[in-house]
Amino acid sequence: DAGVHSKAWYAATCDRKMAEDALYRSNKDGSFLIRKSSGQDSRQPYTLVVFYNRRVYNIPIRFIESTRQYALGREKSGEERFDSVAEIVENHQHTSLVLIDSQNNTKDSTKLQHIVRVS
């Protein structure tokens, strides 16, 4: 168990569009939630959705079978790994999360500050 089900930031029944709409409505940098990934792939079970600078970022959360840990985004050397999804959220409430915009090739960073609930 990734430690997500009892959390305020976990939007269990939310799809990508609902998550993005909710974050655009919040309109606060650092707003976030976690949803199930669209693909239902066991190697990428969840997506961290973050609002920053009038944009919504969908960041895949990968499950690493060999270590039973979680990591953000594409696999990279020296990446941070966490024992639960909750640890990822707690970590990035204190440590900035790097947001990469692949379309415009820009990098930003923000902390996870405002939990968004999907109604």
Side-chain angles (χ1 to χ4, degrees):
D1 179 71
V4 299
H5 295 287
S6 60
K7 303 294 188 193
W9 39 254
Y10 181 56
T13 56
C14 175
D15 64 19
R16 181 176 182 139
K17 177 158 180 18
M18 283 165 66
E20 291 181 355
D21 289 348
L23 286 167
Y24 280 120
R25 277 196 306 275
S26 80
N27 201 26
K28 280 196 246 173
D29 286 351
S31 295
F32 75 100
L33 59 81
I34 290 195
R35 63 176 175 81
K36 278 194 176 121
S37 287
S38 317
Q40 293 303 312
D41 181 345
S42 62
R43 289 186 305 271
Q44 188 185 306
Y46 303 104
T47 301
L48 169 61
V49 191
V50 182
F51 183 87
Y52 185 77
N53 202 9
R54 298 188 304 280
R55 303 222 19 192
V56 171
Y57 295 83
N58 285 277
I59 304 163
I61 299 175
R62 283 181 297 110
F63 179 65
I64 302 150
E65 191 68 54
S66 59
T67 59
R68 318 277 313 152
Q69 288 176 304
Y70 294 88
L72 288 172
R74 286 199 197 95
E75 193 169 344
K76 47 213 162 299
S77 62
E79 69 186 358
E80 281 188 287
R81 293 180 171 189
F82 301 89
D83 292 329
S84 70
V85 174
E87 277 186 29
I88 293 176
V89 171
E90 285 154 22
N91 178 66
H92 289 297
Q93 286 174 322
H94 307 288
T95 314
S96 285
L97 171 70
V98 176
L99 303 169
I100 297 166
D101 178 346
S102 48
Q103 285 161 329
N104 302 323
N105 218 5
T106 56
K107 265 188 186 176
D108 272 311
S109 67
T110 187
K111 291 180 183 160
L112 302 179
Q113 293 165 309
H114 310 285
I115 294 169
V116 171
R117 291 174 183 271
V118 179
S119 42

